[in-house]
């Protein structure tokens, strides 16, 4: 506990220094219109980025302004400089968009997304990839919008190591000429694992990207692909399920997701007294930030140790979430009326509403899962696929990898996901129905090897400052 407190004090000190530098170098904004029905000022990039906790004017615009906007309508925009390892600049055009979205109760909330345009021009329509990083954190500074900026506090200090790694996948997409939008899909309260919220923010982030003229898209006709792994699959999967009812105006051509947390209750069952206890407990706390009844339940039924953990975890990024109390007895942190917190009515109700499978996506799905996954159990993913496939119109390709586990499958499968999305953008049709593949390792698919070579080459070129997408 002492180490965690000392770390947080150091991080707050760095944050204060960052704010001071930001105030010293900020310059007036310049005007630029969008095609979303209103005109916004595109502010110049800050030399040193501000943490979301302190740069609140952009991240938390006035509530009446948010409520007056339409979902996906841009409220503010600013240029940003993106970098690998917080230092090495990535040669692309990038902006942050503040826009209106909705929480799980369809109440207006502010949201932020990072949009990126590759260098160079294309003939015809530019595709858009919505990449949902696995934020998996309870601190607002852990969001991609901060973590990917040049001169942000580096990942080894903040603990947000996942988003910078998945940014390499975004760069692979940019190298193909695609634009990329990366939403802060956990929302203004860092509601980690709150799927219906994340799905709405993701869909509205796509709308905002399409409303932003400098990105060079073709409005609602823009072909859009979704991609996410683990915590990013929570946002991706719920966005795919919500597409038909929440954002039918979007031209989503496919969704690729892996390490899929289809049932949060099953994650708690697997993590209890296991290695994943720390990161899953963070997810429980995160969901309560979008479900007040669960927050009240935690306040009432967490024992003293549970409440200490709630306070200790309340502002940590993914690495420290995982490291704080693995192998914990999660059920032992609660004074449950029924003897099992997962069986208490409030908890059951929230788990049901956050479970995937309430709707069958109306877009083609590429789903992949490690069979021996120690964090996200394969059984609920199998069940989810079976649920989708009861609909004769479902279009699902499902791959089970028998050699990988949760952490290794994400980089192993990235090339397959990008190839599958490339076919969707190219208009290659998918037949109605479901296909399941059981493979030793997705890394052995020789068709993906050229993509891997391209990713490596593009990454090296990016590290050397070469423009991406020319």
């Amino acid at each position: 506990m002492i180490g965690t407190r000392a770390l947080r004090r150091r991080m707050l000190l760095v944050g204060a220094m960052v704010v001071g530098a930001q105030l010293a170098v900020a310059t007036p904004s310049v005007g630029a219109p969008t095609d979303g029905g209103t005109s916004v000022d595109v502010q110049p990039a800050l030399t040193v980025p501000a943490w979301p906790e302190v740069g609140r004017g952009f991240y938390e615009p006035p509530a009446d302004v948010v409520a007056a906007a339409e979902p996906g309508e841009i409220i503010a925009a600013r240029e940003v400089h993106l970098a690998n390892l917080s230092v090495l600049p990535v040669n692309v055009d990038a902006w942050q968009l503040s826009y209106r979205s909705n929480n799980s109760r369809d109440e207006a909330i502010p949201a932020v997304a990072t949009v990126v345009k590759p260098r160079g021009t294309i003939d015809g329509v530019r595709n858009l990839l919505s990449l949902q990083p696995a934020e998996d954190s309870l601190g607002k500074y852990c969001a991609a919008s901060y973590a990917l900026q040049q001169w942000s506090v580096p990942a080894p200090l903040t603990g947000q190591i996942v988003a910078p790694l998945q940014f390499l996948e975004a760069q692979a997409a940019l190298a193909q000429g695609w634009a990329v939008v990366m939403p802060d899909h956990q929302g203004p309260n860092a509601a980690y694992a709150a799927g219906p919220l994340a799905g709405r923010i993701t869909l509205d982030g796509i709308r905002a990207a399409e409303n932003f003229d400098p990105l060079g898209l073709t409005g609602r006709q823009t072909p859009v692909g979704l991609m996410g792994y683990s915590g990013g699959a929570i946002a991706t999967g719920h966005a795919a399920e919500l597409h038909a009812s929440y954002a039918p105006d979007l031209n989503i051509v496919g969704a690729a997701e892996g390490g899929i947390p289809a049932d949060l209750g099953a994650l708690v069952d697997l993590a209890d007294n296991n290695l994943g206890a720390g990161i899953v407990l963070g997810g429980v706390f995160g969901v309560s930030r979008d479900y007040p009844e669960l927050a009240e339940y935690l306040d009432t039924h967490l024992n003293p140790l549970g409440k200490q953990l709630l306070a200790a975890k309340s502002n940590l990024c993914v690495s420290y979430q995982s490291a704080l109390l693995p192998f914990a007895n999660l059920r032992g942190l609660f004074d449950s009326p029924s003897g099992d917190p997962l069986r208490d009515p409030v908890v059951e109700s929230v788990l049901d509403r956050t479970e995937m499978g309430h709707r069958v996506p109306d877009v083609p799905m590429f789903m992949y899962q490690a069979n021996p996954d120690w964090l996200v159990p394969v059984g609920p993913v199998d069940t989810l696929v079976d649920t989708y496939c009861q609909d004769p119109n479902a279009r699902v390709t499902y791959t089970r990898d028998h050699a990988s586990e949760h952490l290794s499958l994400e980089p192993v499968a990235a090339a397959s996901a990008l190839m599958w999305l490339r076919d969707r953008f190219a208009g290659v049709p998918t037949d109605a129905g479901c296909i399941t593949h059981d493979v030793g390792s997705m890394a052995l698919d020789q068709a993906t090897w050229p993509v891997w070579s391209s990713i490596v080459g593009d990454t090296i070129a990016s590290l050397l400052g070469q423009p991406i997408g020319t």
Side-chain angles (χ1 to χ4, degrees), residues 28 31 34 47 49 101 106 109 129 131 140 146 151 189 251 340 348-349 353 367 374 385 416 424 452:
T34 73
T47 302
S101 189
D106 286 322
I109 58 168
L129 174 66
L131 176 64
K140 299 178 186 179
Y146 176 76
W151 310 126
N189 297 318
N251 179 24
D340 182 353
E348 281 191 325
S349 174
R353 281 176 282 164
M367 305 169 67
W374 53 269
V385 171
S416 297
R424 305 290 77 75
W452 270 115

Side-chain angles (χ1 to χ4, degrees), residues 124-298:
V125 173
R126 189 181 294 280
N127 301 314
L128 175 65
L129 174 66
S130 182
L131 176 64
Q132 288 64 248
E135 187 175 329
D136 295 6
S137 306
L138 293 175
K140 299 178 186 179
Y141 65 95
C142 310
S145 65
Y146 176 76
L148 302 182
Q149 289 190 68
Q150 189 177 28
W151 310 126
S152 61
V153 178
L157 293 178
T158 64
Q160 178 48 280
I161 62 171
V162 179
L165 290 175
Q166 292 187 311
F167 185 40
L168 298 178
E169 298 167 10
Q171 293 172 58
L174 292 162
Q176 299 185 66
W178 306 347
V180 173
V181 54
M182 291 173 287
D184 292 352
H185 53 79
Q186 294 184 179
N189 297 318
Y192 161 37
L197 166 76
R200 287 167 168 81
I201 291 174
T202 296
L203 294 170
D204 287 325
I206 296 168
R207 283 170 164 154
E210 294 177 351
N211 288 342
F212 189 60
D213 280 348
L215 205 55
L217 304 177
T218 52
R220 297 297 182 261
Q221 297 178 2
T222 302
V224 179
L226 303 172
M227 183 174 172
Y229 187 86
S230 191
I234 294 177
T236 301
H238 281 278
E241 290 193 7
L242 287 167
H243 172 243
S245 60
Y246 186 82
D249 51 309
L250 298 179
N251 179 24
I252 298 178
V253 298
E257 58 176 349
I260 306 165
D263 180 350
L264 299 184
L267 265 71
V268 175
D269 275 331
L270 181 59
D272 201 4
N273 298 298
N274 211 331
L275 177 61
I279 190 67
V280 170
L281 182 60
V284 173
F285 295 158
V287 171
S288 74
R289 295 180 175 184
D290 198 51
Y291 292 88
E293 65 271 35
L294 181 59
E296 182 179 353
Y297 176 89
L298 295 180

Side-chain angles (χ1 to χ4, degrees), residues 28-104:
S29 62
V30 295
T34 73
D35 64 0
T38 60
S39 179
V40 298
D41 285 341
V42 178
Q43 304 166 19
L46 302 172
T47 302
V48 180
W51 285 25
E53 283 85 345
V54 292
R56 298 181 64 179
F58 187 87
Y59 283 88
E60 298 181 24
D64 59 335
V65 173
V66 177
E70 295 295 323
E73 184 176 334
I74 299 170
I75 296 170
R78 62 186 176 192
E79 295 178 276
V80 289
H81 299 309
L82 304 183
N84 288 308
L85 306 175
S86 299
V87 176
L88 301 172
V90 178
N91 196 341
V92 292
D93 295 315
W95 302 266
Q96 287 176 354
L97 305 179
S98 173
Y99 59 96
R100 181 254 172 95
S101 189
N102 294 316
N103 62 17
S104 60

Side-chain angles (χ1 to χ4, degrees), residues 382-422:
D382 293 341
T383 300
L384 178 63
V385 171
D386 290 341
T387 299
Y388 287 164
C389 294
Q390 292 176 11
D391 187 329
N393 296 315
R395 291 167 288 172
V396 178
T397 299
Y398 177 39
T399 300
R400 281 188 294 251
D401 184 310
H402 293 269
S404 302
E405 46 74 55
H406 189 76
L407 297 180
S408 62
L409 182 62
E410 198 277 333
V412 162
S416 297
L418 289 169
M419 281 183 58
W420 185 85
L421 286 167
R422 186 173 63 189

